[in-house]
Amino acid sequence: MTEFDLFSSNFDTTEQLVAGLNPQQRAAVEYRGPALLIVAGAGSGKTRVLTHRIAHLLAKKEAWPSQILAITFTNKAAAEMRERVQHLLGEAADGMWIKTFHSACVQILRRESARLGHDANFTIYDSGDTRAILKRLIRDTAADIHKLTPAAVASIISNAKNELADAESYARNIDQSDPAARVIAEIFTSYQAELRRNNAFDFDDLISETVHLFRAFPDVLEQYQNKFRHILVDEYQDTNHAQYALIKELAAKASLTVVGDSDQSIYAFRGADIRNITEFEKDFKNATTILLEQNYRSTQNILSAANAVISNNFDRPAKNLWTAEGDGEKIVGYTGYSAHDEAQFIADEIDALHASGIAYRDISVMYRTNSQTRALEDIFIRSALPYRVVGGTKFYERQEIKDAMAYLVAIANDRDDLATRRILNVPKRGIGDATETQLASFASKNGLSIRQALAEVDQLSFGPKITTAIKQLAELLQQAQLAIETDSVDAILRSVLEKSGYLESLKTSRDPQDEARVENLEELVSVAREFQRNNPDGNLTDFLNEVALVAAADDIDDESGTVSLMTLHTAKGLEYDAVFLAGIEEGLLPHRMSFLVPGGMAEERRLFYVGITRARKKLHLSLAMSRTTYGDTEGSIPSRFLQEIPASLIDWRESGAGRGLPQYRPSIAESQSYRSQPASASSGYGGTPSNKPKTEWKGAISSVRNNEGLQLAVGDQVEHADFGRGKVIAVAGEGAKQTAEIHFGSAGKKRLLVKVAPIEKL
DNA sequence: TTAGATCGCGCACCG
DNA sequence: CGCGATCTAA
């Protein structure tokens, strides 16, 4: 190839990379300078801009792949970005760092762990681990007299770390006359000591310790400063101070591109500071800002609703999303009598959308709190709707999975007392509290970890049964540790589950839950096998790191063909043809916990805004007139945010919302409790509610029902607990998965899972 | 030490 | 309501 050929093919590639972009997008791809802020409204093509910008840098040979650092919000987004860059370049661009903040920091910390007094095989503690340690420390320091809960202390420590304060600087800045504050400082110090002894970092440490590492060891920082010539950060509005500091340190010699939208900042509770984006231009000399306002995702009706809602947040730079695609359909509103009624509406509507050709995977139901999934799942199961709860009660938070993982952690990191403690008596070995305490005090007297102390059991005077049990456990862990070098991760896991007797104890147990636990453990073995296949060189610690850093959104399987249920937080960055926002009520969205938090209401509004802007074509807003929480039922009031959407954009269906239902009335203090609002008839906030009568739900869903053996045929008459009398018009599937389509008079046509539906054949 | 029963208390969002 | 902590009996 001649030099000319090289040049021309390069030229073609770079031209192609900006072809089809709008002028602002093109500018964002082509701009070169020390600092660039891309203010990217929802759906404005920011991922496209980011990937094209990276590909553009590589194609023009302005950077090698290894000189690029791109920070994304989730691992899934990172994988997608890598794929898209490869696709654009037509070749793999190995060596690029495309990672989340946490995984980038883990990589740096593992390399430099010795400088911080850790080993490279350190454990990453999640918030549950943190609380478990704090619980013990609170008990030991008798801190409970100050009414300190593990969660409260965890939150204080987390906030401090997000501000880059360590235990020492925290202690220096407290009010010394406040005994509770002094106890907290003391616990903070012991907590850090325990993490160090256990060779562990918590989530917040991953970021803050990396910053401390850079500040304490300029030679390390310089290495990375010299490595990365281009740093790109996505979702910049959600960075906290520690993350900001990390970027600031790393980018001193590099070109920095950040992408964000202050209207989508929804992580203040974990320290996200909106000022990082609003003050970017002050922060970074010679910074340029490019605004992307054209939306390629949603219809104009959806965007108008979003714009109207977000304009109620004051003190924000004006921004107006627009689309060239036309108005589209109206937003659909629905007010149910109960959460189950609301869920039934959603299920029916999804059925109709699916019948009209929208795939299940292009539909999502979003909500403020995870507890809202219960009613939705109840109804979806009965309606035989294929769905998946994204995140939720996570796989890795199940007891049996945590137990199995604790074995692996204890094997990989023999300094980790938390993990060893967890498995000491799992399965039951007769090692109870008393034995554990003795082991722990022996360990601390001799400067050993608990796992190391197990091997010295002869020096303790336990009975023969306990001594044998401890020796077996010590031997098992020791053998498994030796196997790290030679065996695959899944082989180690399988062997430990068997040799420990854990699997056996679940299989022979009488607890019906344990059957499912065995299946979950099999699932975990597959996860390990899959990991090993994708990472042939990955070792046990790599596997543990990967598992520790999975995010809810990483869990989404685009090919699954199911409706996705998720929280509004998880939904950030995603988009669907049809979106259902459920529970748009005072107390839920905005959430009651936000009422007293400064800036809380504005953040709730942004959350609603994020939800609205996830929808491409169809948006549904729903609420329930009464909601059961904690076992008791209370009336609810439509969210104030609904009034912020122009009435002409919403088509309220079968709604009792406008009539007889108490309305939210703005008060002087936005923070006033909604309960104090007087109920009143009102003018309604959207459209004319219909007068159609509707079926009322009679109380809660009954528990497990079993219609096994019920034979239904077309033409049969049935009686349904909620919908009344109906006629079977179609039957599909067999056995437990059999569904029947039944026409009920006023309630309309429903598809039900025969096995669980509350129906009787007449 | 364990299993089983009872008590009481908390109500977001997450890597 | 549902979980985890605590109590009680074997």
Side-chain angles (χ1 to χ4, degrees), chain A residues 32 52-63 68 230:
Chain A
R32 294 297 184 269
H52 283 244
R53 183 171 168 84
I54 293 172
H56 196 251
L57 288 165
L58 295 173
K60 291 190 78 174
K61 304 284 186 215
E62 290 176 48
I68 287 179
H230 293 272

Side-chain angles (χ1 to χ4, degrees), chain A residues 635-712:
Chain A
S636 41
I637 296 176
S639 169
R640 68 192 74 187
F641 300 152
L642 289 171
Q643 301 175 12
E644 298 171 0
I645 300 177
S648 61
L649 295 177
I650 307 184
D651 169 21
W652 284 96
R653 296 232 195 115
E654 282 198 41
S655 173
R659 300 170 310 120
L661 194 63
Q663 291 288 297
Y664 170 75
R665 293 285 193 82
S667 61
I668 297 161
E670 243 196 356
S671 61
Q672 196 173 339
S673 161
Y674 76 95
R675 273 179 228 271
S676 63
Q677 299 300 328
S680 68
S682 115
S683 55
Y685 46 83
T688 316
S690 86
N691 294 321
K692 246 197 281 179
K694 76 171 304 302
T695 325
E696 189 161 356
W697 282 88
K698 298 176 187 71
I701 293 281
S702 54
S703 52
V704 191
R705 193 186 174 91
N706 196 346
N707 286 337
E708 236 163 331
L710 178 67
Q711 291 294 326
L712 287 181

Side-chain angles (χ1 to χ4, degrees), chain A residues 20-68:
Chain A
L21 299 181
N22 71 34
Q24 292 75 27
Q25 291 177 328
R26 183 178 178 134
V29 168
E30 291 180 331
Y31 178 81
R32 294 297 184 269
L36 170 64
L37 164 63
I38 303 171
V39 174
S44 60
K46 65 166 186 171
T47 308
R48 193 150 180 244
V49 166
L50 268 178
T51 50
H52 283 244
R53 183 171 168 84
I54 293 172
H56 196 251
L57 288 165
L58 295 173
K60 291 190 78 174
K61 304 284 186 215
E62 290 176 48
W64 297 111
S66 64
Q67 294 174 321
I68 287 179

